[in-house]
Amino acid sequence: MRTIRCHRDNGLVKQTLNSPGHGAVLVVDGGGSLESALMGDLIAAAAVRNGWAGVVIHGAIRDRAVVRTLDLGVKALGSNPRTSAKDGAGEVDVPLEFGGVTFTPGATLWADEDGILVTP
Ligand SMILES: O=C([O-])CC(=O)C(=O)O
Ligand SMILES: [Mg+2]
């Protein structure tokens, strides 16, 4: 997995998912905010084109009707049509902690309809 920490700004998410994913999952800690979306259909489609396996967002997405049709595993807390800033504020490939779990860049993430597992 790769990681990003950001708050109501998806500039780094957009930039990262527009670069090669090599089959990785991107975990985004948006602080649990549902006030604006950190990914939508266009960024998700870019992730598919660039070989990402999935995206886990501790926050919101939008365009979910299209996102669910894509060949990309997506987990988010919810959705909101409001877009985020695109200034690129945040940090890439730092250890994240939410939901009582530490998400370390390079660790392996497994997910299905029931939930998410992380192995070192
Ligand atoms: O513009 C955004 O922030 C997200 C979005 O709608 C998309 O990726 O399609
Ligand atoms: Mg969109």
Side-chain angles (χ1 to χ4, degrees), residues 9-12 85-89:
D9 184 320
N10 67 349
L12 290 174
K86 293 186 171 29
D87 298 330

Side-chain angles (χ1 to χ4, degrees), residues 65-87:
V66 175
V67 169
R68 71 158 59 90
T69 69
L70 302 177
D71 185 20
L72 183 72
V74 177
K75 298 280 194 192
L77 296 180
S79 57
N80 190 324
R82 184 184 292 151
T83 191
S84 291
K86 293 186 171 29
D87 298 330

Side-chain angles (χ1 to χ4, degrees), residues 22-114:
H22 305 291
V25 174
L26 180 65
V27 181
V28 182
D29 185 1
S33 171
L34 295 176
E35 294 172 287
S36 62
L38 292 175
M39 185 182 77
D41 60 341
L42 298 178
I43 296 174
V48 174
R49 279 198 306 278
N50 287 298
W52 292 85
V55 183
V56 173
I57 299 191
H58 188 224
I61 64 166
R62 65 179 192 163
D63 307 320
R64 60 192 294 169
V66 175
V67 169
R68 71 158 59 90
T69 69
L70 302 177
D71 185 20
L72 183 72
V74 177
K75 298 280 194 192
L77 296 180
S79 57
N80 190 324
R82 184 184 292 151
T83 191
S84 291
K86 293 186 171 29
D87 298 330
E91 299 162 274
V92 180
D93 290 328
V94 289
L96 305 177
E97 198 150 342
F98 56 86
V101 175
T102 301
F103 298 85
T104 308
T108 302
L109 187 147
W110 312 80
D112 69 5
E113 286 81 354
D114 292 331

